[in-house]
Amino acid sequence: MRRYHGKKVVLVGACAGAQCVIDYLASPHAANTPTVVGGVIHSCLWELKKENLNVSSGISYQLFNKGFVEDIVHRIFKHSSEAERQLKEEWFSEIGLIEEEMKELRTIWELEEYMFSRFYGWSGAAEYYEKTSPKNKVKDVCKPLVWINSRDDFLTPFQDYDLDTIRNN
């Protein structure tokens, strides 16, 4: 924010980035940051556990989940230097990440179950999804928020949104 010191800023995010915007705008810090005047989000997931299960099988799994997880695991273990490889090995060893185990993961749920409990101390993916879902945070958003979503979004069906909570905030 130093770069934009004194300027008015609107936060913008899509999908996971939209979650970050809601998370920030619902935080106590946002209320005390006059330069952040609001947010615009697109395709924000509403209930993470349910939406994750929507892409865990069938055509959604083939088109989205499988490739996404394989790409993340590949990027985690890709090394640009010997020093980076050694640093990652030490860090992964400390938190219990094992490359061979991670290469067997096939769904976002499995990846988050495996990683987030180690990184952040969650009991697993279910607790992570419950505590971080926008449905549980939108009531605390303290700045104007424009929320754009398609009625036929396959990850977050429009009927899943609690429109009264969104409108009343």
Side-chain angles (χ1 to χ4, degrees), residues 5-167:
H5 182 70
K7 305 243 190 273
K8 301 294 183 188
V9 176
V10 174
L11 305 177
V12 178
C15 201
Q19 282 179 252
C20 293
V21 170
I22 287 179
D23 201 42
Y24 180 81
L25 293 178
S27 74
H29 183 71
N32 300 318
T33 309
T35 55
V36 175
V37 296
V40 178
I41 60 173
H42 179 266
S43 296
C44 184
L45 304 175
W46 177 251
E47 186 177 354
L48 297 176
K49 181 178 179 182
K50 182 176 181 180
E51 280 106 19
N52 188 292
L53 295 174
N54 286 347
V55 295
S56 293
S57 63
I59 191 70
S60 294
Y61 169 74
Q62 293 299 323
L63 294 175
F64 177 74
N65 216 343
K66 184 178 177 214
F68 182 72
V69 171
E70 288 172 356
D71 185 57
I72 288 174
V73 171
H74 170 75
R75 289 173 188 268
I76 289 171
F77 290 102
K78 179 180 173 186
H79 311 294
S80 58
S81 68
E82 180 60 23
E84 182 181 356
R85 185 193 64 73
Q86 288 177 344
L87 182 65
K88 283 183 178 180
E89 273 183 16
E90 289 174 24
W91 186 59
F92 293 163
S93 176
E94 284 179 28
I95 60 174
L97 291 182
I98 300 169
E99 184 172 359
E100 293 76 29
E101 288 178 3
M102 288 191 67
K103 287 183 177 178
E104 297 297 318
L105 304 175
R106 294 292 173 249
T107 66
I108 295 169
W109 180 280
E110 290 174 357
L111 179 70
E112 291 173 341
E113 183 79 22
Y114 186 87
M115 290 184 67
F116 284 114
S117 59
R118 288 168 170 83
F119 282 146
Y120 304 110
W122 303 114
S123 62
E127 180 185 9
Y128 162 71
Y129 291 144
E130 184 59 32
K131 302 255 176 156
T132 61
S133 285
K135 74 174 187 150
N136 299 323
K137 295 184 174 224
V138 73
K139 67 186 181 316
D140 298 322
V141 169
C142 62
K143 304 274 179 146
L145 178 65
V146 176
W147 191 316
I148 303 166
N149 221 78
S150 171
R151 284 190 180 268
D152 62 354
D153 187 314
F154 77 98
L155 282 176
T156 304
F158 188 73
Q159 64 271 16
D160 286 357
Y161 288 109
D162 179 354
L163 296 179
D164 289 336
T165 299
I166 294 170
R167 280 189 200 111

